Amino acid sequence: MVIPSDLLNSMNVSNRIQTAELDWEVIDGIEIPISKQFGDVYFSKDNGLLETRHVFLNGNDLSERLANLKDFEYFSVGETGFGTGLNILALWQLWQQVRPNNQSHLHAISVEKFPLSKADLIRALNVWDELKPLAEQLIEQYPLPIAGCHRLTFPKERFSIDLWLGDAQEIFPSMAKTKAVNAWFLDGFAPSCNPDMWEQNVLNNIVRFSDYSTTFASFSVAGILKRGLKAHGIDISRPRGFGHKREMLKAVWKLPEIDDESLSLAQTSSGTKQQHIAIVGAGVAGLTTAWAIAARGHQVTLYEQTEALSGASGNPLALLNPKLCPIEQSHEHLMTLSWQHALNFYKNFKAFRPLQIHQIALKNADQLLDLVNQYPAQVITHPVNSLETAYSSILLNEAGSVSPHQLRDEILQHPSIDLKIAHVTALVSSENKVQLQTNNEIIAEVDHVVVCCARESAALFESYPQLKPIRGQVSWVDNTFAPLPLNKAYSYGGYCMQLDASQMILGASFYPNREDQDVLIEDHVHNFELIHSAFPEYAEKLPLPSTWQGRASIRAQSLDYFPLVGKMQENSRIATFAGLGSKGFLFAPLCSEILVAQILGEACPVPDRLLQKLNPQRFQKKVKPKKPYFKSQ
């Protein structure tokens, strides 16, 4: 049976990322990459860097606009084809040259259907000596060829990139608009070579992500592009193109002559002052949110009743152990996206230890083993197990562990983060501020509040989604007789890895609807039985569970297993972040970025469908009028 090409393109296999196939042509001693898929060059044979500056940087008047950004102003640039990254690197270089000495931030959003392999990217960017310091930083964070949004952050540069891998026709409609794009690089191969990039569907979504005063620039003056922009009332001009090209496109979405009140909030609320944000709860959700906010130059105060990491986040070691989805679902699968983001996040801390995880297939073996055929070869392989087992397994090469208390200490060293020991009992919101109270005494007044108190979050809202308690106990035991490699962990329903040179940590029991936190021998026995089921020969050498040590805590899990991330009421200054279950350290870094995007008005790094699955308002009954969720003055 032959499947029609249009049907084949609509199937889920289109979400598997295929890297670019290249030919190379040497012109005047310079290697020019040429796409086999589209039969076109990636940059001008005359001088690609000069063309980028002429068409995209000057075409959007970026030198002047970036130089005049106000303190804490956020400016975003969208691009329709990442290619070799040349446009983004040229933008970054310009940013270094003209950026004001304040807390303004530049963010780039780019889409690519056929990303270059890392080896080809390195080869292509070797052409530009003056860009090498930036290219090296880009290459270091360049993502694996897996569909979805990959956020690359360069905090010292006040610069970040969202690189969305996939088909532009699918990606742009899926993206959530939390901030309008200020300028567009309408790039990609020529319309005659790559017509899909210039389709009306793509242009309509580019306009959806724009607003009055957004500008557009392109090397192409094709009729479909001009007509598509003009249909939305966007003014177009055709100044001189680069090199032998007679024309290029330059456009701006001008504000109609109407009242100022009609201006979109997306373009008028530049957020040009430092925010003071309170975070109630200092577990991993609160700590990662604090870090994300402080990294943007804002002031954060964490409030905790006793000490940071007093709850479920306070175990001796956390394993970043994702259950990966079929590759076709990766672009909007929370755990897969979170896993990739978490590895990039934690590698900036000494608390992180990179390692490999042997994931043992106790059940559904075919599904687990098939992941080897779906993901890039450097991600998953067939292992040679160092522990004797009767079961098949895969080796997840991209994984790690986190020392929670060391991470806590590193985060709390940030000069913009302050920890206060206090029991916040009420939040009182006015139009511009939120008061934090303890027994009717005002202890602080801030711009925004994020409540990260797991199940105790409900006490600060008049209505809150149900979070069920799940008791979990980890165990640690002396295994000096046969320590595991420090760069390995084992997952088998439970998990085990080295806690330090002489002890192994095992986890974890899982008892829904229990809130007792005593360390119990029966939970040690449970953890022993888990490891024994996978590695009986090794487990029988362990000391008796009666000699083990441990820690029990209560996880909070939402009814649909998705965390609660966002505001409990539209236009509120109070948000929540809770319900991470047993995957707190895996979910927290990405969810923190999502939350900050909503609070500060920045680009969101996940598709809208996933954003709605995280929205804490999803549990509200829409048939009844909404009640206020916090006290108002």
Side-chain angles (χ1 to χ4, degrees):
M1 175 181 177
V2 178
I3 302 176
S5 59
D6 57 341
L7 178 59
L8 183 63
N9 289 334
S10 69
M11 295 170 65
N12 281 338
V13 292
S14 65
N15 289 323
R16 296 193 185 191
I17 296 299
Q18 178 184 346
T19 53
E21 298 177 9
L22 304 181
D23 283 324
W24 299 84
E25 182 177 348
V26 179
I27 300 177
D28 297 329
I30 295 177
E31 279 195 309
I32 306 292
I34 302 171
S35 168
K36 288 186 179 180
Q37 280 100 340
F38 298 105
D40 200 1
V41 295
Y42 275 88
F43 46 74
S44 169
K45 296 180 180 180
D46 295 333
N47 188 310
L49 182 54
L50 291 182
E51 181 180 49
T52 288
R53 290 169 178 158
H54 178 83
V55 175
F56 298 115
L57 304 186
N58 297 339
N60 282 290
D61 304 313
L62 290 181
S63 293
E64 180 181 1
R65 295 169 75 187
L66 295 178
N68 291 324
L69 291 181
K70 300 175 184 177
D71 199 13
F72 291 98
E73 190 167 358
Y74 180 90
F75 191 96
S76 61
V77 175
E79 180 187 43
T80 54
F82 183 78
T84 65
L86 178 60
N87 294 341
I88 298 300
L89 291 177
L91 171 67
W92 188 353
Q93 183 188 51
L94 175 66
W95 175 241
Q96 286 188 327
Q97 295 166 352
V98 305
R99 63 190 175 200
N101 186 22
N102 57 25
Q103 288 291 338
S104 53
H105 186 93
L106 175 63
H107 182 70
I109 303 166
S110 188
V111 174
E112 181 57 59
K113 184 176 183 179
F114 298 106
L116 271 66
S117 68
K118 182 173 281 192
D120 282 338
L121 182 71
I122 293 170
R123 183 178 176 183
L125 292 178
N126 272 337
V127 172
W128 316 107
D129 288 338
E130 63 182 287
L131 297 178
K132 279 190 176 178
L134 303 181
E136 289 171 356
Q137 295 182 64
L138 172 66
I139 290 164
E140 184 179 357
Q141 293 194 37
Y142 192 63
L144 296 164
I146 298 174
C149 180
H150 304 265
R151 174 156 289 185
L152 319 181
T153 58
F154 309 91
K156 293 180 180 178
E157 299 283 333
R158 307 193 331 256
F159 179 61
S160 52
I161 305 168
D162 280 350
L163 177 51
W164 292 74
L165 299 185
D167 191 328
Q169 295 226 37
E170 299 171 0
I171 288 176
F172 280 122
S174 75
M175 293 167 64
K177 182 179 179 181
T178 48
K179 167 70 170 69
V181 172
N182 300 94
W184 281 98
F185 298 170
L186 301 181
D187 200 2
F189 297 109
S192 58
C193 300
N194 183 18
D196 288 352
M197 180 65 80
W198 307 91
E199 286 289 340
Q200 193 66 43
N201 171 50
V202 175
L203 291 177
N204 287 345
N205 278 283
I206 286 171
V207 174
R208 177 176 71 89
F209 264 86
S210 307
D211 216 321
Y212 298 126
S213 81
T214 294
T215 59
F216 311 79
S218 178
F219 66 87
S220 173
V221 289
I224 188 171
L225 175 59
K226 292 183 292 185
R227 290 190 298 271
L229 294 176
K230 285 181 179 179
H232 295 279
I234 295 169
D235 289 356
I236 292 174
S237 61
R238 293 180 292 179
R240 176 76 185 177
F242 176 77
H244 67 279
K245 295 181 180 178
R246 187 179 62 181
E247 296 177 326
M248 58 171 275
L249 181 139
K250 182 175 181 178
V252 60
W253 196 355
K254 293 182 179 179
L255 177 67
E257 295 181 1
I258 51 180
D259 294 339
D260 290 343
E261 293 180 0
S262 66
L263 261 175
S264 167
L265 287 174
Q267 291 284 41
T268 57
S269 58
S270 56
T272 54
K273 74 179 184 70
Q274 187 181 49
Q275 302 287 293
H276 183 191
I277 298 176
I279 299 175
V280 186
V284 67
L287 289 169
T288 55
T289 302
W291 183 266
I293 293 168
R296 290 156 167 83
H298 298 288
Q299 189 66 41
V300 182
T301 304
L302 279 160
Y303 291 87
E304 182 57 72
Q305 293 186 46
T306 53
E307 61 177 350
L309 295 183
S310 58
S313 301
N315 287 338
L317 201 62
L319 180 63
L320 304 176
N321 181 30
K323 182 179 180 181
L324 298 183
C325 65
I327 195 69
E328 293 85 4
Q329 303 168 15
S330 64
H331 61 295
E332 58 179 20
H333 186 255
L334 177 63
M335 192 172 297
T336 303
L337 295 172
S338 295
W339 154 69
Q340 297 170 86
H341 187 85
L343 293 179
N344 272 336
F345 174 80
Y346 290 121
K347 72 181 182 182
N348 298 304
F349 298 92
K350 295 178 182 177
F352 176 69
R353 183 206 309 171
L355 51 74
Q356 300 171 313
I357 302 178
H358 292 260
Q359 294 187 339
I360 311 300
L362 272 68
K363 56 182 180 179
N364 300 323
D366 290 344
Q367 294 179 21
L368 183 67
L369 297 177
D370 190 50
L371 295 177
V372 177
N373 303 318
Q374 300 178 31
Y375 280 81
Q378 65 266 44
V379 176
I380 304 175
T381 54
H382 291 294
V384 176
N385 286 323
S386 55
L387 290 184
E388 189 71 27
T389 181
Y391 295 96
S392 301
S393 65
I394 62 172
L395 183 64
L396 179 63
N397 295 302
E398 302 284 339
S401 66
V402 180
S403 174
H405 294 87
Q406 187 177 356
L407 177 71
R408 172 201 63 192
D409 294 344
E410 290 185 71
I411 288 177
L412 292 180
Q413 288 174 7
H414 195 291
S416 296
I417 298 175
D418 187 26
L419 174 65
K420 292 185 180 297
I421 303 303
H423 182 199
V424 177
T425 59
L427 303 175
V428 181
S429 179
S430 62
E431 183 177 353
N432 298 315
K433 295 287 183 180
V434 181
Q435 291 180 353
L436 285 77
Q437 296 184 357
T438 297
N439 299 323
N440 295 320
E441 177 185 350
I442 299 172
I443 59 173
E445 189 172 71
V446 298
D447 297 294
H448 299 273
V449 174
V450 183
V451 180
C452 304
C453 302
R455 296 184 69 236
E456 295 180 12
S457 299
L460 295 174
F461 297 89
E462 291 189 11
S463 177
Y464 198 79
Q466 179 184 349
L467 296 177
K468 60 182 179 183
I470 300 174
R471 171 190 163 85
Q473 180 175 307
V474 296
S475 309
W476 51 94
V477 56
D478 182 279
N479 70 334
T480 50
F481 69 94
L484 303 176
L486 285 172
N487 65 342
K488 302 282 190 196
Y490 295 84
S491 171
Y492 42 81
Y495 66 87
C496 65
M497 58 182 164
Q498 285 300 121
L499 177 59
D500 52 36
S502 61
Q503 291 184 304
M504 175 174 65
I505 186 169
L506 307 95
S509 61
F510 188 92
Y511 295 110
N513 301 313
R514 279 181 55 179
E515 300 183 56
D516 54 304
Q517 298 186 57
D518 292 333
V519 176
L520 303 176
I521 181 63
E522 51 260 44
D523 281 36
H524 288 324
V525 171
H526 171 85
N527 291 338
F528 171 79
E529 289 174 345
L530 283 175
I531 190 173
H532 191 276
S533 66
F535 308 110
E537 184 176 326
Y538 184 83
E540 287 170 3
K541 298 177 183 178
L542 293 172
L544 293 174
S546 59
T547 66
W548 293 10
Q549 296 176 279
R551 182 178 187 270
S553 57
I554 307 304
R555 312 169 186 125
Q557 182 78 69
S558 72
L559 298 182
D560 62 4
Y561 300 97
F562 283 93
L564 310 178
V565 184
K567 298 177 180 180
M568 288 296 301
Q569 189 177 34
E570 297 298 330
N571 303 318
S572 169
R573 290 181 173 270
I574 303 176
T576 190
F577 181 13
L580 283 77
S582 60
K583 297 295 183 183
F585 281 85
L586 196 65
F587 289 154
L590 179 59
C591 288
S592 296
E593 288 291 309
I594 296 168
L595 186 62
V596 170
Q598 298 176 70
I599 294 174
L600 298 180
E602 298 181 358
C604 182
V606 296
D608 187 64
R609 275 181 52 172
L610 180 53
L611 183 63
Q612 297 311 316
K613 290 179 180 179
L614 300 171
N615 187 343
Q617 300 177 40
R618 65 187 184 270
F619 294 105
Q620 297 171 12
K621 292 183 178 180
K622 298 181 180 180
V623 295
K624 296 181 180 179
K626 295 180 181 178
K627 296 181 179 180
Y629 292 98
F630 50 86
K631 300 176 183 177
S632 297
Q633 287 182 331

